[in-house]
Amino acid sequence: MKLKNFTNKCLIPAIALTSIATAFFAFTSPTLANTVLRNGQWRINIGNEDSWNGVNGTGNLTYRGCDTRNRCISLRNGKVSCRNGVCTNAWRNGEYTYVVSSPMTENGNAPSTLIVRRGNQVIVRSTGLR
């Protein structure tokens, strides 16, 4: 009987702590990746994908891209647009634009492409991200 009372008293605080921890990590770690894409040149983590409500040009996606030398950049406020069978996630960083383009397929297994532009000039085009 004492064990049952002890369990009931401890269970509620454990649930409360779990909720607090979940809320804390969701708030403090918006770059936790929903999608991780890789090829031989890049590793890209796209997070906060549930911020997109299905309307083109909306969302608040995060981006963390790292090259093979572990030089990384983190961006926020990415927007999603889907047209003509392709979804693009785009972020701006000053005069640079980062775009991850992915064909829409039934199994969602098509390779993505990273395009980085400085103004109108493409400075990076990397295909085969999975």
Side-chain angles (χ1 to χ4, degrees), residues 52 54 56-57 79-90 99-106 110-115 125:
W52 185 51
N56 283 336
K79 306 297 181 200
V80 180
S81 291
C82 296
R83 292 188 176 95
N84 302 320
V86 177
C87 284
T88 57
N89 303 323
V99 174
V100 175
S101 177
S102 305
M104 290 185 279
T105 62
E106 284 185 31
S112 298
T113 300
L114 169 67
I115 300 171
R125 180 179 193 85

Side-chain angles (χ1 to χ4, degrees), residues 17-113:
L17 286 175
T18 301
S19 298
I20 291 167
T22 301
F24 173 77
F25 286 113
F27 178 74
T28 60
S29 302
T31 58
L32 289 176
N34 293 336
T35 299
V36 178
L37 300 169
R38 293 181 178 94
N39 64 11
Q41 301 169 323
W42 303 98
R43 183 185 72 242
I44 298 170
N45 298 341
I46 300 172
N48 205 26
E49 291 177 309
D50 59 349
S51 68
W52 185 51
N53 64 10
V55 175
N56 283 336
T58 64
N60 185 24
L61 276 61
T62 59
Y63 171 99
R64 180 158 173 86
C66 300
D67 66 12
T68 55
R69 289 157 65 195
N70 209 28
R71 294 179 297 185
C72 303
I73 185 168
S74 295
L75 304 169
R76 296 179 176 271
N77 202 29
K79 306 297 181 200
V80 180
S81 291
C82 296
R83 292 188 176 95
N84 302 320
V86 177
C87 284
T88 57
N89 303 323
W91 297 263
R92 293 185 76 65
N93 182 31
E95 62 184 316
Y96 295 90
T97 304
Y98 296 74
V99 174
V100 175
S101 177
S102 305
M104 290 185 279
T105 62
E106 284 185 31
N107 64 6
N109 202 20
S112 298
T113 300

